[in-house]
Amino acid sequence: MLATVLHKPGDIRCEEIADPKILRPTDAIIKLSASCICGSDLWPYRGLQPVDGPMHMGHEYCGIVVEVGAEVRTVRPGQFVVGSFCLSDNICPHCRFGFQSSCEQREFMSGAQAPYARVALADGTLVATAEVPSAELIPDLLAVSDVLGTGWYAADAAEVREGSTVVVVGDGAVGLMGVLAAREMGAERIIAMSRHASRQKLAREFGATDIVAERGEEGIARIKDLTGGVGADSVLECVGTGESFDQALACSRPGGTIGYVGVPHGVSFDGQKLFFGQKRMLGGPAPVRRFLPDLMDRVLQGRINPGKVFDLKLPLAEVAEGYRAMDERRAIKVMLSV
């Protein structure tokens, strides 16, 4: 089959590889209904993460089960399923505590920018729908697999509550999903930090009440001005750079909470600032599996439309253009038809 392979920074190809096979009795093979490119895929693409030989790309997925291993019990061929980018057994102590992304058997999904993919730990990772959804719902359900689940975790970790004031740092796909999540959780004021008109427009659609285009000290001052000098109750850090973390910490009020889901690159902290700033922090890889049933239900009931975040759709054969478009910020998130 044709699949996406990264050979070295900037060198992404759609090329022939072997079809996936059942390797363990807990595996499942799915035929993807669609795939997409994640912002985190850009780290190795840009050379900011080591590439030790060809990498099979893609970790967001939904589709039809075509084969299962001998020990799989909760899904069967013919069912439509959504899974997380963190593969988990969903029964270990960490999974039962709600942190499936720290499962004792954790693996990370790969190879999903392709027509077929192997999913390890299928029973604990995949959630099936009652019936195969319509084609119109595929983008929304694909978004649940990672980008919505990650934005949702950012809001959950930041303790967004009814009536709270929220700042979202980052206007990429995850940040925009964080805006949607904050709205669904009842935030009264949602301030999205964005300098791009198309992303500002989508942030408004998802529930942002205010837009702050400034960055750095000017951006922090603008947040303080909007909040009467107090700062935000909850801040969602959805980028992962030193600048974005500094901005998130400075925008949070004393006793406020920062939910961070941007993979850190070049981030360090000043212990004195943390100590006297009195900010809570929780983040890391999103335990998407915890949220999957609820988020899938919201999509199937028509309550949310996270698939709007896909602003460019390409066939798998044109995946290299998809990476370029996201790298150059010509696209927020690229959906791949397979």
Side-chain angles (χ1 to χ4, degrees), residues 15-299:
E15 61 187 28
E16 197 75 28
I17 67 168
D19 290 350
K21 297 179 179 179
I22 297 290
L23 301 180
R24 303 174 195 159
T26 52
D27 290 348
I29 304 296
I30 63 171
K31 180 180 181 181
L32 277 78
S33 298
S35 187
C36 58
I37 301 171
C38 180
S40 63
D41 292 331
L42 297 180
W43 293 112
Y45 178 77
R46 290 169 172 163
L48 299 173
Q49 179 179 317
V51 180
D52 300 320
M55 293 175 60
H56 291 188
M57 303 298 288
H59 54 262
E60 299 168 84
Y61 57 100
C62 64
I64 304 293
V65 178
V66 294
E67 185 181 0
V68 297
E71 295 179 12
V72 175
R73 297 289 180 265
T74 63
V75 296
R76 63 181 184 276
Q79 285 186 309
F80 181 91
V81 294
V82 181
S84 166
F85 67 93
C86 279
L87 311 174
S88 60
D89 61 21
N90 209 33
I91 57 174
C92 83
H94 304 319
C95 288
R96 292 199 301 270
F97 195 60
F99 283 81
Q100 291 91 337
S101 46
S102 286
C103 176
E104 291 180 340
Q105 296 193 68
R106 180 185 67 186
E107 298 181 36
F108 288 100
M109 183 66 183
S110 64
Q113 289 169 10
Y116 293 88
R118 180 181 74 92
V119 182
L121 301 171
D123 276 338
T125 299
L126 299 174
V127 177
T129 57
E131 55 189 38
V132 176
S134 66
E136 291 75 19
L137 288 175
I138 296 303
D140 298 310
L141 290 165
L142 177 61
V144 170
S145 174
D146 179 358
V147 66
L148 175 59
T150 297
W152 197 273
Y153 174 55
D156 181 81
E159 300 184 323
V160 174
R161 296 188 176 93
E162 194 82 30
S164 60
T165 295
V166 179
V167 167
V168 180
V169 179
D171 64 355
V174 171
L176 292 167
M177 294 294 95
V179 170
L180 184 155
R183 181 198 69 193
E184 288 292 297
M185 293 179 186
E188 182 175 327
R189 194 169 196 184
I190 304 169
I191 305 169
M193 305 193 80
S194 172
R195 300 192 297 182
H196 301 84
S198 62
R199 298 169 189 237
Q200 292 172 355
K201 181 177 182 292
L202 196 50
R204 291 280 192 188
E205 285 186 42
F206 285 144
T209 57
D210 302 89
I211 302 291
V212 169
E214 297 86 351
R215 284 189 180 180
E217 293 301 323
E218 290 183 356
I220 293 163
R222 183 75 179 123
I223 296 295
K224 290 295 179 69
D225 181 58
L226 288 171
T227 58
V230 174
D233 306 318
S234 301
V235 180
L236 283 56
E237 195 292 311
C238 303
V239 183
T241 64
E243 181 187 25
S244 62
F245 264 90
D246 288 344
Q247 196 150 278
L249 284 163
C251 290
S252 173
R253 67 182 299 168
T257 306
I258 299 157
Y260 58 96
V261 294
V263 180
H265 288 75
V267 176
S268 60
F269 296 106
D270 182 327
Q272 290 283 326
K273 283 187 178 180
L274 286 176
F275 184 80
F276 287 105
Q278 295 188 288
K279 317 291 173 70
R280 298 183 183 91
M281 296 183 71
L282 175 63
V288 174
R289 179 61 181 82
R290 188 208 309 175
F291 308 116
L292 273 182
D294 175 47
L295 297 182
M296 291 168 66
D297 282 347
R298 290 173 192 254
V299 165

